């Protein structure tokens, strides 16, 4: 009897396993029976729809139980007064008014060159001289003649003061002396041109001619280039819209990108002419030489302070929206309760200059107002919101 029960139990277990295997998705797929596969899919679709209906019922009931479900969650910040310094950014080139080519003033052979490239020289220092072609000997002869004319004149002058001799002799001696003196001075001036002098203190940037070369006044006969690096400036053009704000002595931050240096300076000169082609005016900004590292034509980036407000209110530009009329507005919080719920109120504002991601509010916003930050673009005027500030 026990054997019979055991056999029946075994048969039932095997039959059950085979039934489960036959009704599983993997088992039905393994049969490749189209009718069974379609039937299984239809059964699962029906079951899925039933589950979806039940989930919706549960969600609707949860929404009804959750009173805060439809209240938008936002963050806010408080408007504060701060110092707002606005800058305009421009680009300019380093220049110097003392950057000149030195030419000879008389023709001749370059006799001696006293300086070399890179040498510091003083104003009036002789840099080179040119063979005078015998003018020194002529000057010596003229000096002798002038000395004789002077002696003759002094003698005739004494005689004429004693009423001795004629007036004509006195006048002739005087004229001869003056003529000889004038000739000496003229030749001295001409002879001085044989010496090439530094027009100002600076550095010899280049020496173009060597000793023994024949030179003459005119283009192509430059002998030296001299530069003064102690009085350099940056010249740039400023749009005419800033003509009232960019004035003399305005602060400027000068950045030499190539050198990795930034220095503070001021506007030293403002142009009085507006270029009609680009509607801009020129300004000059003095710069130091930075131990000789700053060179003419070096590019610099400039930040000029054109506006400062000690009591400005700045807000992020990202929270500002526009209405159909183009007016800008933000949202502030009114009637805030202890549970951090309040009413969002649309506030039309006027804005001014920007600084990075922030912009200055120039009208209709007072310090202390609570302004909507995150969520500002997803709420409406008069809507109840909840503040989630940390």
């Amino acid at each position: 009897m026990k054997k019979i029960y055991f056999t029946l139990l075994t048969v039932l277990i095997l039959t059950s396993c085979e039934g489960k295997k036959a009704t599983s998705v993997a088992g039905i797929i393994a049969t490749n029976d189209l009718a069974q596969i379609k039937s299984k899919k239809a059964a699962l679709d029906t079951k899925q729809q039933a589950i979806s209906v039940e989930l919706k019922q549960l969600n609707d009931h949860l929404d009804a139980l959750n009173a805060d479900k439809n209240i938008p969650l936002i963050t806010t910040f408080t408007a504060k007064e701060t110092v707002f310094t606005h800058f305009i950014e421009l680009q300019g080139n380093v220049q110097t008014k003392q950057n000149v080519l030195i030419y000879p003033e008389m023709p001749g052979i370059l006799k001696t060159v006293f300086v070399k490239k890179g040498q510091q020289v003083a104003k009036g220092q002789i840099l080179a001289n040119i063979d005078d072609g015998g003018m020194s000997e002529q000057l010596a002869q003229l000096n002798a003649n002038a000395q004789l004319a002077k002696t003759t004149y002094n003698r005739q002058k004494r005689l004429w003061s004693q009423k001795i001799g004629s007036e004509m002799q006195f006048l002739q001696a005087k004229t001869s002396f003056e003529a000889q003196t004038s000739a000496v001075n003229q030749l001295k001036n001409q002879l001085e041109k044989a010496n090439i002098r530094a027009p100002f203190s600076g550095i010899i940037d280049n020496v173009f001619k060597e000793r023994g070369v024949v030179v003459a006044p005119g283009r192509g006969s430059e002998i030296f280039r001299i530069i003064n690096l102690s009085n350099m400036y940056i010249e740039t053009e400023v749009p005419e819209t800033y003509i009232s704000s960019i004035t003399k002595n305005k602060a400027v931050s000068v950045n030499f990108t190539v050198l990795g240096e930034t220095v503070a300076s001021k506007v030293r000169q403002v142009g009085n002419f507006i270029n009609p082609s680009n509607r801009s005016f020129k300004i000059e900004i003095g710069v130091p030489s930075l131990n000789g590292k700053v060179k003419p034509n070096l590019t610099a980036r400039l930040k000029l302070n054109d506006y400062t407000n000690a009591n400005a209110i700045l807000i992020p530009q990202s929270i500002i929206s526009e209405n159909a009329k183009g007016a800008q507005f933000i949202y502030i919080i009114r009637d805030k309760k202890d549970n951090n719920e309040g009413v969002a109120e649309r506030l039309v504002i006027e804005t001014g200059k920007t600084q990075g991601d922030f912009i200055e509010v120039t009208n209709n916003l007072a310090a202390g107002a609570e302004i909507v930050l995150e969520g500002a673009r997803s709420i409406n005027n008069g809507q109840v919101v909840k503040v989630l500030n940390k």
Side-chain angles (χ1 to χ4, degrees), residues 62-74:
L62 285 172
D63 290 344
L65 294 175
N66 185 7
D68 295 335
K69 164 78 175 174
N70 297 321
I71 298 179
L73 305 178
I74 62 164

Side-chain angles (χ1 to χ4, degrees), residues 34-107:
L34 184 61
Q36 286 190 45
I37 293 173
K38 286 184 176 181
S39 176
K40 185 66 175 178
K41 180 180 181 301
L44 291 175
D45 287 341
T46 302
K47 188 175 182 180
Q48 182 183 22
Q49 291 174 4
I51 293 173
S52 296
V53 170
E54 292 175 353
L55 283 173
K56 185 176 185 308
Q57 291 174 347
L58 291 171
N59 287 331
D60 290 344
H61 190 65
L62 285 172
D63 290 344
L65 294 175
N66 185 7
D68 295 335
K69 164 78 175 174
N70 297 321
I71 298 179
L73 305 178
I74 62 164
T75 63
T76 63
F77 70 97
T78 303
K80 297 179 180 179
E81 290 185 346
T82 184
V83 177
F84 175 47
T85 304
H86 184 263
F87 295 90
I88 60 171
E89 295 190 9
L90 301 169
Q91 183 170 299
N93 292 324
V94 177
Q95 298 186 27
T96 175
K97 293 179 180 177
Q98 294 184 322
N99 175 13
V100 300
L101 296 171
I102 300 178
Y103 295 86
E105 294 185 78
M106 63 177 288

Side-chain angles (χ1 to χ4, degrees), residues 220-234:
S221 294
E222 60 271 13
I223 300 177
F224 304 102
R225 178 188 291 276
I226 182 172
I227 299 176
N228 185 356
L229 299 180
S230 63
N231 187 25
M232 292 185 294
Y233 65 96
I234 296 172

Side-chain angles (χ1 to χ4, degrees), residues 349-366:
I349 59 172
E350 295 179 7
T351 58
K353 299 180 181 296
T354 61
Q355 177 180 279
D357 296 330
F358 291 84
I359 190 168
E360 180 189 16
V361 179
T362 58
N363 193 24
N364 209 27
L365 180 64

Side-chain angles (χ1 to χ4, degrees), residues 13 54 127 185 197 221 266 307-308 342:
I13 292 172
E54 292 175 353
L127 309 179
N185 291 335
R197 298 180 181 271
S221 294
K266 292 183 178 181
Y307 172 74
T308 300

Side-chain angles (χ1 to χ4, degrees), residues 254-265:
V254 182
N255 174 251
F256 299 104
T257 308
V258 175
L259 303 179
E261 297 272 2
T262 300
V263 296
S265 186

Side-chain angles (χ1 to χ4, degrees), residues 58 65 71 101 112 114 134 182 193 202 225 227 252 269 290:
L58 291 171
L65 294 175
I71 298 179
L101 296 171
T112 310
F114 298 106
S182 178
K193 294 179 180 180
R225 178 188 291 276
I227 299 176
V252 184
Q269 184 175 327
L290 297 179

